Amino acid sequence: QVHLVESGGGLVQAGGSLRLSCAASGSIFSIHDMGWYRQAIGNQREFVATITSGGNTNYADSVQGRFTISRDNAKSTVYLQMNSLKPEDTAVYYCNADIRDYSRKLENTWGQGTQVTVSS
């Protein structure tokens, strides 16, 4: 089994910054795409950013220029640096990754989520 554990959420004022981390653990053979999604109360879960194993990135229009996704393959960890935060960024942020375990089975895996609250 593989697991994703997020950290770094919290309460911040508008205009502030936070850095989220997500570490993968377990019987990991390889990790492919990693990404972040978020879900605000009353809304569906939405895409925030993704990064391939080679470092190619993709962002939602709403966070482009403010958020930066990165990864450390040696640590099996993906990060989300969030700058110029706005109240509308308030949500539970979920880590997601395509992970192949030692049985060569590829699974799309989610973390448990971390709360980000931006006050105005």
Side-chain angles (χ1 to χ4, degrees):
Q1 269 193 335
V2 295
H3 302 278
L4 295 173
V5 178
E6 300 103 333
S7 61
L11 173 64
V12 64
Q13 288 189 332
S17 299
L18 281 175
R19 188 191 194 210
L20 305 182
S21 300
C22 172
S25 63
S27 301
I28 299 170
F29 177 76
S30 60
I31 304 176
H32 303 270
D33 291 357
M34 303 185 82
W36 292 94
Y37 294 74
R38 66 187 182 186
Q39 186 167 17
I41 294 175
N43 290 355
Q44 291 186 331
R45 191 171 298 187
E46 65 177 12
F47 163 77
V48 175
T50 56
I51 184 167
T52 68
S53 57
N56 293 318
T57 59
N58 190 29
Y59 296 93
D61 289 344
S62 59
V63 307
Q64 182 77 49
R66 300 187 298 121
F67 291 10
T68 302
I69 188 171
S70 61
R71 64 192 283 172
D72 185 332
N73 291 329
K75 296 182 178 180
S76 300
T77 299
V78 63
Y79 305 96
L80 187 68
Q81 177 66 44
M82 304 185 293
N83 298 328
S84 302
L85 282 160
K86 304 175 182 179
E88 50 264 44
D89 294 319
T90 295
V92 177
Y93 283 70
Y94 295 92
C95 177
N96 178 267
D98 290 324
I99 300 175
R100 192 177 299 279
D101 64 19
Y102 282 109
S103 72
R104 303 298 190 264
K105 179 181 177 184
L106 182 66
E107 282 199 2
N108 184 262
T109 304
W110 290 93
Q112 83 287 352
T114 185
Q115 177 70 46
V116 171
T117 303
V118 184
S119 63
S120 57

